[in-house]
Amino acid sequence: DTEVTQTPKHLVMGMTNKKSLKCEQHMGHRAMYWYKQKAKKPPELMFVYSYEKLSINESVPSRFSPECPNSSLLNLHLHALQPEDSALYLCASSQFITGPARLSNQPQHFGDGTRLSIL
Amino acid sequence: QKEVEQNSGPLSVPEGAIASLNCTYSDRGSQSFFWYRQYSGKSPELIMSIYSNGDKEDGRFTAQLNKASQYVSLLIRDSQPSDSATYLCGKVGNNRKLIWGLGTSLAVNP
């Protein structure tokens, strides 16, 4: 069991559908992340939120739209996806601590992921 | 040179042996290093974090960091078949992004 909860676990959608992935954490973490992972590859960073503000967007196509309604929730809205967007989508969270670099880089804790298939 | 390099394996060890996983990195400014384990079809699970030169032990796992030589390693003692997974090495630099290696596949044979 993880302390970062993602729903749904599996999602199949057509290219014209609109759907959302949800992520929730109750560890008091103030940094949250979305990653995309293809088979046999490491996770690929998509977005980072720090204190509910978008701090990093890794040039992700606009068909992916993140949202952070509060410090515990992170959503990823999907629209007009392509078959190549089929992947495991991972949410992660971490402490966000300012100060000396080695103290500010806290480990990320991952949810179980959403397996997304685009038809 | 990739920022984080790992031997993709597969690394195969017999049950009960020590598995040694290695990772090198290119940015001397890197401060934080992490080892994650990922089973097929599952999400990454944090095994160890290490920030200072030397060894850090947690149960059967020992992480070793050598900043002068720019490598970090993970030793798994008394390897079990349940340790069979992909092990991802990651580091965070000043840009706060977690940079991953490609992962090393470990197979522990009964």
Side-chain angles (χ1 to χ4, degrees), chain A residues 35-115:
Chain A
Y35 288 87
K36 171 184 177 181
Q37 188 176 25
K38 295 283 228 180
K40 300 191 185 302
K41 299 285 188 185
E44 180 185 339
L45 183 65
M46 300 175 72
F47 302 104
V48 180
Y49 274 81
S50 305
Y51 286 89
E52 296 89 70
K53 287 186 174 26
L54 183 64
S55 57
I56 296 176
N57 176 341
E58 290 287 278
S59 302
V60 178
S62 60
R63 57 186 185 269
F64 295 92
S65 175
E67 179 195 19
C68 190
N70 60 53
S71 60
S72 300
L73 293 173
L74 186 66
N75 299 322
L76 186 62
H77 303 298
L78 314 173
H79 173 55
L81 295 193
Q82 304 297 308
E84 61 265 27
D85 297 322
S86 298
L88 179 66
Y89 287 83
L90 295 162
C91 173
S93 70
S94 70
Q95 297 266 23
F96 189 98
I97 303 172
T98 58
R102 77 173 174 86
L103 295 179
S104 65
N105 294 319
Q106 297 298 300
Q108 296 177 23
H109 299 268
F110 286 82
D112 289 338
T114 294
R115 177 72 59 187

